[in-house]
Amino acid sequence: RKKGKKKSLQRLYQDPVFKYNLPAKIGKKQTVRLVYVMPKFSLSKERRAILELNEKDGERNLKLKISHRFINNPN
């Protein structure tokens, strides 16, 4: 039987450097675009960044899995 690699998980909370078009509320069936600028960092090919957006005093949570390709080569 093959043994898988042991993976270490790490959670780092980072404050955004800049926020643009951040709404106070998002209404029902409404789409809003917003921009968060984070400090510069890079990832190895085996790693993946997960961006978590949590609703304040609410139940809706969103997890976005971001590949190393989008972080290391943004253009």
Side-chain angles (χ1 to χ4, degrees):
R1 182 168 102 157
K2 282 188 175 180
K3 289 188 177 181
K5 288 184 180 179
K6 290 184 181 179
K7 295 181 181 180
S8 65
L9 298 175
Q10 197 174 40
R11 287 182 180 233
L12 299 173
Y13 178 80
Q14 289 189 342
D15 288 324
V17 176
F18 180 73
K19 299 175 195 176
Y20 176 74
N21 203 19
L22 189 63
K25 279 188 176 181
I26 300 174
K28 191 183 225 181
K29 295 189 179 186
Q30 186 179 9
T31 301
V32 176
R33 285 188 178 209
L34 53 110
V35 176
Y36 273 88
V37 178
M38 304 303 286
K40 188 174 181 178
F41 66 96
S42 62
L43 289 175
S44 68
K45 290 183 181 180
E46 296 85 31
R47 304 265 181 207
R48 177 183 287 189
I50 299 175
L51 177 67
E52 289 186 25
L53 299 173
N54 299 318
E55 184 179 31
K56 183 178 180 181
D57 300 327
E59 297 177 359
R60 296 181 290 184
N61 300 323
L62 179 66
K63 288 186 180 181
L64 302 172
K65 296 178 182 177
I66 304 168
S67 173
H68 68 90
R69 284 184 268 151
F70 295 111
I71 293 173
N72 296 341
N73 302 315
N75 293 331

Coordinates of all heavy atoms in Angstrom, one line a residue:
R1 N 0.8 -1.2 0.0 CA 0.0 0.0 0.0 C 0.9 1.2 0.0 O 1.8 1.3 0.8 CB -0.9 -0.1 1.2 CG -1.8 1.0 1.4 CD -2.8 0.7 2.5 NE -2.4 1.5 3.7 CZ -3.3 1.8 4.6 NH1 -4.5 1.3 4.6 NH2 -2.9 2.4 5.7
K2 N 0.6 2.2 -0.9 CA 1.3 3.4 -0.9 C 0.9 4.3 0.2 O -0.2 4.5 0.5 CB 1.1 4.2 -2.2 CG 1.8 3.6 -3.4 CD 1.6 4.6 -4.6 CE 2.4 4.1 -5.7 NZ 2.3 5.0 -6.9
K3 N 1.9 5.0 0.8 CA 1.7 5.9 1.8 C 1.7 7.3 1.2 O 2.7 7.6 0.5 CB 2.7 5.8 3.0 CG 2.5 4.6 3.8 CD 3.4 4.6 5.0 CE 3.1 3.4 5.9 NZ 3.9 3.4 7.1
G4 N 0.7 8.1 1.5 CA 0.7 9.5 1.0 C 1.6 10.4 1.8 O 2.1 10.1 2.9
K5 N 1.9 11.5 1.2 CA 2.8 12.5 1.8 C 2.0 13.2 3.0 O 0.8 13.4 2.9 CB 3.2 13.6 0.9 CG 4.2 13.2 -0.1 CD 4.6 14.4 -1.0 CE 5.7 14.0 -2.0 NZ 6.1 15.1 -2.8
K6 N 2.7 13.4 4.0 CA 2.1 14.2 5.1 C 2.1 15.7 4.7 O 3.1 16.2 4.3 CB 2.8 14.0 6.4 CG 2.7 12.6 7.0 CD 3.4 12.5 8.3 CE 3.2 11.1 8.9 NZ 3.9 10.9 10.1
K7 N 0.9 16.3 4.8 CA 0.8 17.7 4.4 C 0.6 18.5 5.6 O -0.1 18.2 6.6 CB -0.4 17.9 3.5 CG -0.3 17.2 2.2 CD -1.5 17.4 1.3 CE -1.4 16.7 0.0 NZ -2.5 16.9 -0.8
S8 N 1.3 19.6 5.7 CA 1.1 20.6 6.8 C 0.2 21.7 6.3 O 0.4 22.2 5.2 CB 2.5 21.1 7.2 OG 3.1 21.9 6.2
L9 N -0.7 22.0 7.1 CA -1.6 23.1 6.7 C -1.3 24.3 7.6 O -1.0 24.1 8.8 CB -3.1 22.7 7.0 CG -3.6 21.5 6.2 CD1 -5.0 21.1 6.6 CD2 -3.6 21.9 4.7
Q10 N -1.3 25.4 7.0 CA -1.0 26.6 7.7 C -2.0 27.7 7.4 O -2.3 27.9 6.3 CB 0.4 27.1 7.3 CG 1.1 28.0 8.2 CD 2.5 28.3 7.8 OE1 2.8 28.4 6.6 NE2 3.4 28.4 8.8
R11 N -2.5 28.4 8.5 CA -3.4 29.5 8.2 C -2.7 30.8 8.7 O -2.3 30.9 9.8 CB -4.7 29.3 9.1 CG -5.6 28.2 8.6 CD -6.8 28.2 9.4 NE -7.7 27.1 8.9 CZ -8.9 27.3 8.6 NH1 -9.5 28.5 8.8 NH2 -9.6 26.4 8.0
L12 N -2.7 31.7 7.7 CA -2.1 33.0 8.0 C -3.2 34.0 7.7 O -3.7 34.1 6.6 CB -0.9 33.2 7.1 CG 0.3 32.2 7.3 CD1 1.3 32.5 6.3 CD2 0.9 32.4 8.7
Y13 N -3.5 34.9 8.7 CA -4.4 36.0 8.4 C -3.6 37.2 8.0 O -2.6 37.6 8.7 CB -5.2 36.3 9.7 CG -6.1 37.4 9.5 CD1 -7.3 37.3 8.9 CD2 -5.8 38.7 9.9 CE1 -8.2 38.3 8.7 CE2 -6.6 39.8 9.7 CZ -7.8 39.6 9.1 OH -8.7 40.6 8.9
Q14 N -3.9 37.8 6.9 CA -3.2 39.0 6.4 C -4.3 40.0 6.1 O -5.3 39.8 5.5 CB -2.5 38.7 5.1 CG -1.3 37.8 5.3 CD -0.4 37.7 4.1 OE1 -0.9 38.0 3.0 NE2 0.8 37.3 4.2
D15 N -3.9 41.2 6.6 CA -4.8 42.4 6.3 C -4.5 42.9 4.8 O -3.3 42.9 4.4 CB -4.5 43.5 7.2 CG -5.0 43.2 8.6 OD1 -6.1 42.6 8.7 OD2 -4.4 43.6 9.6
P16 N -5.5 43.2 4.1 CA -5.2 43.7 2.7 C -4.5 45.1 2.8 O -4.7 45.9 3.7 CB -6.6 43.9 2.1 CG -7.6 43.8 3.2 CD -6.9 43.1 4.4
V17 N -3.7 45.3 1.8 CA -3.0 46.6 1.7 C -4.0 47.7 1.2 O -3.9 48.8 1.6 CB -1.8 46.4 0.7 CG1 -1.1 47.8 0.4 CG2 -0.8 45.4 1.1
F18 N -4.9 47.3 0.3 CA -5.8 48.2 -0.3 C -7.2 47.5 -0.5 O -7.2 46.4 -0.9 CB -5.2 48.8 -1.6 CG -6.1 49.8 -2.3 CD1 -6.3 51.1 -1.8 CD2 -6.8 49.4 -3.4 CE1 -7.1 52.0 -2.5 CE2 -7.6 50.3 -4.1 CZ -7.7 51.6 -3.6
K19 N -8.3 48.2 -0.3 CA -9.6 47.7 -0.6 C -10.3 48.7 -1.6 O -10.2 49.9 -1.3 CB -10.5 47.6 0.6 CG -9.9 46.7 1.7 CD -10.8 46.7 2.9 CE -10.1 46.1 4.1 NZ -10.9 46.3 5.3
Y20 N -10.9 48.2 -2.6 CA -11.6 49.1 -3.6 C -13.0 48.6 -3.8 O -13.3 47.4 -4.0 CB -10.9 49.1 -4.9 CG -11.5 49.9 -6.0 CD1 -11.5 51.3 -5.9 CD2 -12.2 49.3 -7.0 CE1 -12.2 52.0 -6.9 CE2 -12.9 50.0 -8.0 CZ -12.8 51.4 -7.9 OH -13.5 52.1 -8.9
N21 N -14.0 49.6 -3.7 CA -15.4 49.3 -4.0 C -15.9 48.3 -3.0 O -16.7 47.4 -3.4 CB -15.6 48.8 -5.5 CG -17.0 49.1 -6.0 OD1 -17.7 49.9 -5.4 ND2 -17.3 48.4 -7.0
L22 N -15.6 48.4 -1.8 CA -16.1 47.5 -0.7 C -17.5 47.9 -0.3 O -17.6 49.0 0.3 CB -15.1 47.5 0.4 CG -15.3 46.4 1.5 CD1 -15.2 45.0 0.9 CD2 -14.3 46.6 2.6
P23 N -18.5 47.1 -0.5 CA -19.9 47.5 -0.2 C -20.2 47.2 1.3 O -19.6 46.3 1.9 CB -20.7 46.6 -1.0 CG -19.9 45.3 -1.2 CD -18.5 45.8 -1.2
A24 N -21.1 48.0 1.9 CA -21.5 47.7 3.3 C -22.5 46.5 3.3 O -22.4 45.7 4.2 CB -22.2 49.0 3.8
K25 N -23.3 46.4 2.3 CA -24.3 45.3 2.2 C -24.4 44.9 0.7 O -24.2 45.7 -0.2 CB -25.7 45.8 2.6 CG -25.9 45.8 4.1 CD -27.3 46.1 4.4 CE -27.6 46.0 5.9 NZ -29.0 46.2 6.1
I26 N -24.6 43.6 0.6 CA -24.9 43.1 -0.7 C -26.3 42.5 -0.7 O -26.6 41.6 0.1 CB -23.9 42.0 -1.2 CG1 -22.5 42.5 -1.2 CG2 -24.3 41.4 -2.5 CD1 -21.4 41.5 -1.4
G27 N -27.2 43.1 -1.5 CA -28.6 42.7 -1.4 C -28.9 41.3 -2.1 O -28.0 40.7 -2.7
K28 N -30.1 40.9 -1.9 CA -30.5 39.6 -2.5 C -30.5 39.6 -4.0 O -30.9 40.6 -4.6 CB -32.0 39.4 -2.0 CG -32.5 38.0 -2.2 CD -34.0 38.0 -1.8 CE -34.3 36.7 -1.0 NZ -35.7 36.7 -0.7
K29 N -29.9 38.6 -4.6 CA -29.8 38.4 -6.0 C -29.0 39.6 -6.7 O -29.3 40.0 -7.7 CB -31.1 38.2 -6.7 CG -31.8 36.9 -6.3 CD -33.0 36.6 -7.1 CE -33.6 35.3 -6.7 NZ -34.7 35.0 -7.5
Q30 N -28.0 40.1 -6.0 CA -27.2 41.2 -6.4 C -25.8 40.8 -6.6 O -25.3 40.0 -5.8 CB -27.3 42.3 -5.4 CG -26.7 43.6 -5.9 CD -26.8 44.7 -4.8 OE1 -27.2 44.5 -3.7 NE2 -26.4 45.9 -5.2
T31 N -25.1 41.3 -7.7 CA -23.7 41.0 -7.9 C -22.9 42.2 -7.7 O -23.3 43.3 -8.2 CB -23.6 40.5 -9.4 OG1 -24.4 39.3 -9.6 CG2 -22.1 40.1 -9.7
V32 N -21.8 42.1 -7.0 CA -20.9 43.2 -6.7 C -19.5 42.8 -6.9 O -19.1 41.7 -6.6 CB -21.1 43.7 -5.2 CG1 -20.1 44.8 -4.9 CG2 -22.5 44.1 -4.9
R33 N -18.7 43.7 -7.6 CA -17.3 43.4 -7.8 C -16.5 44.3 -6.8 O -16.8 45.5 -6.6 CB -16.9 43.8 -9.2 CG -17.3 42.9 -10.2 CD -16.7 43.2 -11.6 NE -17.1 42.2 -12.5 CZ -16.4 41.9 -13.6 NH1 -15.2 42.5 -13.8 NH2 -16.8 41.0 -14.4
L34 N -15.5 43.7 -6.2 CA -14.7 44.4 -5.3 C -13.3 43.9 -5.4 O -13.0 42.8 -6.0 CB -15.2 44.2 -3.8 CG -15.3 42.7 -3.4 CD1 -14.3 42.4 -2.4 CD2 -16.7 42.6 -2.8
V35 N -12.3 44.7 -5.0 CA -10.9 44.4 -5.2 C -10.2 44.4 -3.8 O -10.4 45.4 -3.0 CB -10.2 45.4 -6.1 CG1 -8.7 45.1 -6.2 CG2 -10.9 45.4 -7.5
Y36 N -9.4 43.4 -3.5 CA -8.6 43.3 -2.3 C -7.1 43.2 -2.8 O -6.8 42.3 -3.7 CB -8.9 42.1 -1.5 CG -9.9 42.3 -0.5 CD1 -11.3 42.1 -0.8 CD2 -9.6 42.7 0.8 CE1 -12.3 42.2 0.2 CE2 -10.6 42.9 1.8 CZ -11.9 42.6 1.4 OH -12.9 42.8 2.4
V37 N -6.2 44.1 -2.4 CA -4.8 44.0 -2.7 C -4.1 43.5 -1.5 O -4.1 44.0 -0.4 CB -4.3 45.4 -3.2 CG1 -2.8 45.3 -3.5 CG2 -5.0 45.9 -4.3
M38 N -3.4 42.3 -1.7 CA -2.7 41.7 -0.6 C -1.1 41.9 -0.8 O -0.7 42.2 -1.9 CB -2.9 40.2 -0.6 CG -4.4 39.8 -0.5 SD -5.3 40.5 0.9 CE -4.6 39.4 2.2
P39 N -0.4 41.8 0.3 CA 1.1 41.9 0.2 C 1.6 40.8 -0.7 O 1.1 39.7 -0.9 CB 1.6 41.7 1.6 CG 0.4 41.9 2.5 CD -0.8 41.6 1.7
K40 N 2.8 41.1 -1.4 CA 3.3 40.2 -2.3 C 3.9 38.9 -1.6 O 4.5 39.0 -0.6 CB 4.5 40.9 -3.0 CG 5.1 40.2 -4.2 CD 6.1 41.0 -4.9 CE 6.7 40.2 -6.1 NZ 7.6 41.0 -6.8
F41 N 3.6 37.8 -2.2 CA 4.1 36.5 -1.8 C 4.1 35.5 -2.9 O 3.6 35.8 -4.0 CB 3.3 36.0 -0.6 CG 1.9 35.6 -1.0 CD1 1.6 34.3 -1.3 CD2 0.9 36.5 -1.0 CE1 0.3 33.9 -1.6 CE2 -0.4 36.2 -1.3 CZ -0.7 34.8 -1.6
S42 N 4.8 34.4 -2.8 CA 4.9 33.4 -3.8 C 4.6 32.0 -3.2 O 4.7 31.8 -2.0 CB 6.2 33.4 -4.5 OG 7.2 33.1 -3.6
L43 N 4.2 31.0 -4.0 CA 3.9 29.7 -3.6 C 4.7 28.7 -4.4 O 5.0 28.9 -5.6 CB 2.4 29.4 -3.8 CG 1.4 30.1 -2.9 CD1 0.0 29.7 -3.3 CD2 1.7 29.7 -1.4
S44 N 5.0 27.5 -3.8 CA 5.6 26.4 -4.5 C 4.6 25.7 -5.3 O 3.4 25.9 -5.1 CB 6.3 25.5 -3.6 OG 5.4 24.8 -2.8
K45 N 5.0 24.9 -6.3 CA 4.0 24.2 -7.1 C 3.1 23.2 -6.4 O 2.0 23.0 -6.8 CB 4.7 23.4 -8.2 CG 5.4 24.3 -9.2 CD 6.1 23.4 -10.3 CE 6.8 24.3 -11.3 NZ 7.4 23.6 -12.3
E46 N 3.5 22.7 -5.2 CA 2.7 21.8 -4.5 C 1.7 22.5 -3.6 O 0.8 21.9 -3.0 CB 3.5 20.9 -3.6 CG 4.5 20.0 -4.3 CD 5.8 20.7 -4.7 OE1 6.2 21.6 -4.0 OE2 6.3 20.4 -5.8
R47 N 1.8 23.8 -3.4 CA 0.9 24.6 -2.5 C -0.2 25.3 -3.3 O -0.1 25.5 -4.4 CB 1.8 25.6 -1.8 CG 2.9 25.0 -1.0 CD 2.6 24.7 0.4 NE 3.7 24.2 1.1 CZ 3.6 23.4 2.1 NH1 2.4 23.1 2.5 NH2 4.7 22.9 2.7
R48 N -1.2 25.6 -2.5 CA -2.4 26.3 -3.0 C -2.9 27.3 -2.0 O -2.9 27.0 -0.8 CB -3.5 25.3 -3.4 CG -4.7 25.8 -3.9 CD -5.7 24.8 -4.1 NE -5.4 24.0 -5.3 CZ -6.2 23.1 -5.8 NH1 -7.3 22.8 -5.2 NH2 -5.8 22.5 -6.9
A49 N -3.3 28.5 -2.4 CA -3.8 29.4 -1.5 C -5.3 29.3 -1.5 O -5.9 29.1 -2.5 CB -3.4 30.8 -1.9
I50 N -5.9 29.5 -0.3 CA -7.4 29.4 -0.2 C -7.8 30.8 0.5 O -7.4 31.1 1.6 CB -7.8 28.3 0.7 CG1 -7.4 26.9 0.1 CG2 -9.3 28.3 0.9 CD1 -7.7 25.7 0.9
L51 N -8.6 31.5 -0.3 CA -9.1 32.8 0.2 C -10.5 32.5 0.8 O -11.3 32.0 0.1 CB -9.2 33.8 -1.0 CG -9.8 35.1 -0.7 CD1 -8.8 35.9 0.2 CD2 -10.0 35.9 -2.0
E52 N -10.6 32.9 2.0 CA -11.9 32.7 2.7 C -12.6 34.0 2.9 O -12.0 35.0 3.5 CB -11.7 32.0 4.1 CG -11.3 30.6 4.0 CD -11.3 30.0 5.4 OE1 -12.0 30.4 6.3 OE2 -10.5 29.0 5.6
L53 N -13.8 34.1 2.5 CA -14.7 35.3 2.7 C -15.8 34.9 3.6 O -16.6 34.0 3.3 CB -15.2 35.8 1.4 CG -14.2 36.3 0.3 CD1 -14.9 36.7 -1.0 CD2 -13.4 37.5 0.9
N54 N -15.9 35.5 4.8 CA -16.9 35.2 5.7 C -17.8 36.4 5.9 O -17.4 37.5 6.1 CB -16.3 34.8 7.1 CG -15.4 33.6 6.9 OD1 -15.8 32.6 6.2 ND2 -14.3 33.6 7.6
E55 N -19.1 36.1 6.0 CA -20.1 37.1 6.2 C -20.1 37.5 7.7 O -20.1 36.7 8.5 CB -21.5 36.6 5.8 CG -22.6 37.6 5.9 CD -23.9 37.1 5.5 OE1 -24.1 35.9 5.6 OE2 -24.7 37.9 5.0
K56 N -20.1 38.8 7.9 CA -20.1 39.3 9.3 C -21.5 39.1 9.9 O -22.5 39.4 9.3 CB -19.8 40.8 9.3 CG -19.7 41.4 10.7 CD -19.3 42.9 10.6 CE -19.2 43.5 12.0 NZ -18.9 44.9 11.9
D57 N -21.5 38.5 11.0 CA -22.8 38.1 11.7 C -23.7 37.4 10.8 O -24.9 37.6 10.9 CB -23.4 39.4 12.3 CG -22.6 40.1 13.2 OD1 -21.8 39.5 13.9 OD2 -22.7 41.4 13.3
G58 N -23.2 36.5 10.0 CA -24.1 35.7 9.1 C -23.6 34.3 8.9 O -22.7 33.8 9.5
E59 N -24.3 33.6 8.0 CA -24.0 32.2 7.8 C -23.3 31.9 6.4 O -22.8 30.8 6.2 CB -25.3 31.4 7.8 CG -26.0 31.5 9.1 CD -27.3 30.8 9.1 OE1 -27.7 30.2 8.1 OE2 -28.0 30.8 10.2
R60 N -23.3 32.9 5.6 CA -22.7 32.6 4.2 C -21.2 32.7 4.3 O -20.6 33.8 4.7 CB -23.3 33.6 3.2 CG -24.7 33.4 3.0 CD -25.2 34.3 1.9 NE -25.2 35.7 2.5 CZ -25.7 36.7 1.8 NH1 -26.2 36.6 0.6 NH2 -25.7 37.9 2.3
N61 N -20.5 31.7 3.9 CA -19.0 31.7 3.8 C -18.6 31.2 2.4 O -19.3 30.3 1.8 CB -18.4 30.8 4.9 CG -18.8 31.2 6.3 OD1 -18.9 32.4 6.5 ND2 -19.1 30.3 7.1
L62 N -17.5 31.7 1.9 CA -17.0 31.4 0.6 C -15.6 31.1 0.6 O -14.8 31.9 1.2 CB -17.3 32.6 -0.4 CG -16.9 32.4 -1.8 CD1 -17.7 31.3 -2.5 CD2 -17.1 33.7 -2.6
K63 N -15.1 29.9 0.0 CA -13.7 29.6 0.0 C -13.3 29.5 -1.5 O -13.9 28.8 -2.3 CB -13.5 28.2 0.6 CG -13.6 28.2 2.1 CD -13.1 26.9 2.7 CE -13.2 26.9 4.2 NZ -12.8 25.6 4.7
L64 N -12.3 30.3 -1.9 CA -11.8 30.3 -3.2 C -10.4 29.7 -3.2 O -9.5 30.2 -2.6 CB -11.7 31.7 -3.8 CG -13.0 32.5 -3.8 CD1 -12.7 34.0 -4.1 CD2 -14.0 31.9 -4.7
K65 N -10.2 28.6 -4.0 CA -8.9 27.9 -4.1 C -8.2 28.5 -5.3 O -8.7 28.5 -6.4 CB -9.1 26.4 -4.3 CG -9.8 25.7 -3.1 CD -10.0 24.3 -3.4 CE -10.7 23.6 -2.2 NZ -11.0 22.2 -2.4
I66 N -7.0 29.0 -5.0 CA -6.2 29.8 -6.0 C -4.9 29.0 -6.3 O -4.2 28.7 -5.3 CB -5.9 31.2 -5.5 CG1 -7.2 31.9 -5.1 CG2 -5.1 32.0 -6.6 CD1 -7.0 33.2 -4.4
S67 N -4.7 28.7 -7.5 CA -3.5 27.9 -7.9 C -2.2 28.8 -7.8 O -2.3 30.0 -7.9 CB -3.7 27.4 -9.3 OG -2.5 26.9 -9.8
H68 N -1.1 28.1 -7.7 CA 0.2 28.8 -7.6 C 0.5 29.6 -8.9 O 1.2 30.6 -8.9 CB 1.3 27.9 -7.4 CG 1.6 26.9 -8.5 ND1 2.5 27.2 -9.5 CD2 1.1 25.7 -8.8 CE1 2.5 26.2 -10.4 NE2 1.6 25.3 -9.9
R69 N -0.1 29.2 -10.0 CA 0.1 29.9 -11.3 C -0.4 31.3 -11.3 O 0.1 32.2 -11.9 CB -0.6 29.1 -12.5 CG 0.2 27.8 -12.8 CD -0.4 27.1 -14.0 NE -1.3 26.1 -13.4 CZ -2.4 25.7 -14.1 NH1 -2.7 26.2 -15.2 NH2 -3.2 24.8 -13.5
F70 N -1.6 31.5 -10.7 CA -2.2 32.8 -10.7 C -1.4 33.8 -9.7 O -1.4 35.0 -9.9 CB -3.7 32.8 -10.3 CG -4.5 32.0 -11.3 CD1 -5.0 30.8 -11.0 CD2 -4.7 32.6 -12.5 CE1 -5.8 30.1 -11.9 CE2 -5.5 31.9 -13.4 CZ -6.0 30.7 -13.1
I71 N -0.8 33.2 -8.7 CA -0.1 34.1 -7.7 C 1.3 34.4 -8.2 O 1.8 35.5 -8.2 CB 0.0 33.4 -6.4 CG1 -1.5 33.3 -5.8 CG2 0.9 34.1 -5.4 CD1 -1.6 32.6 -4.6
N72 N 2.0 33.4 -8.7 CA 3.4 33.6 -9.2 C 3.5 34.3 -10.5 O 4.5 35.0 -10.8 CB 4.2 32.2 -9.2 CG 4.3 31.6 -7.9 OD1 4.1 32.2 -6.8 ND2 4.5 30.3 -7.8
N73 N 2.5 34.0 -11.4 CA 2.5 34.7 -12.7 C 1.2 35.3 -12.9 O 0.3 34.8 -13.6 CB 2.7 33.6 -13.8 CG 4.0 32.9 -13.6 OD1 5.1 33.5 -13.4 ND2 4.0 31.5 -13.8
P74 N 1.0 36.5 -12.4 CA -0.4 37.1 -12.4 C -0.8 37.6 -13.8 O -2.0 37.8 -14.0 CB -0.2 38.3 -11.4 CG 1.2 38.6 -11.4 CD 1.9 37.3 -11.6
N75 N 0.1 37.8 -14.7 CA -0.3 38.3 -16.0 C -0.6 37.2 -17.0 O -0.1 36.3 -17.2 CB 0.7 39.3 -16.6 CG 0.8 40.5 -15.8 OD1 -0.2 40.9 -15.2 ND2 2.0 41.1 -15.7

